[in-house]
Amino acid sequence: MIVRIMGEGQVEISADDITVLNELDSELEAAIEGGDEKAFRVKLHALLDKVRHVGKSLPDDSLEPSELILPPADASIDEVREMLGDQGLIPG
């Protein structure tokens, strides 16, 4: 799965890592629904850090279509709320 972190580029994530990313996504979504800015910030950074850790960076000149687009680390709770789909940021 190809994932783009806005402002950072693309990474390729293996199917094996989707489960843990979904868990982090669910925690992020709960923080957003609760309006908890502090928890939101912690959960967003945890999700992005995990994507960076498990993902294999694609070259900057790669033009692969992104299956997921994640917000930048400095995104506001409202910006991320607008990006949420029915299944959070990471469907699965």
Side-chain angles (χ1 to χ4, degrees):
M1 173 181 289
I2 305 297
V3 178
R4 173 175 296 285
I5 299 175
M6 294 170 67
E8 294 186 31
Q10 293 180 304
V11 295
E12 186 171 5
I13 303 293
S14 79
D16 295 340
D17 293 314
I18 296 300
T19 301
V20 72
L21 294 177
N22 272 323
E23 291 171 13
L24 293 168
D25 184 38
S26 294
E27 293 172 8
L28 174 63
E29 194 171 2
I32 291 169
E33 289 173 2
D36 186 338
E37 181 72 36
K38 184 177 179 182
F40 160 75
R41 189 69 41 211
V42 169
K43 301 302 180 182
L44 176 60
H45 283 265
L47 175 62
L48 296 176
D49 287 346
K50 189 66 171 180
V51 168
R52 291 181 197 112
H53 178 74
V54 300
K56 177 184 169 215
S57 293
L58 297 181
D60 290 338
D61 61 352
S62 174
L63 296 174
E64 298 292 323
S66 298
E67 296 170 73
L68 295 175
I69 298 176
L70 297 178
D74 63 352
S76 72
I77 196 169
D78 290 330
E79 290 170 328
V80 177
R81 185 180 287 119
E82 289 178 17
M83 294 180 72
L84 289 176
D86 292 340
Q87 298 180 19
L89 291 173
I90 301 175

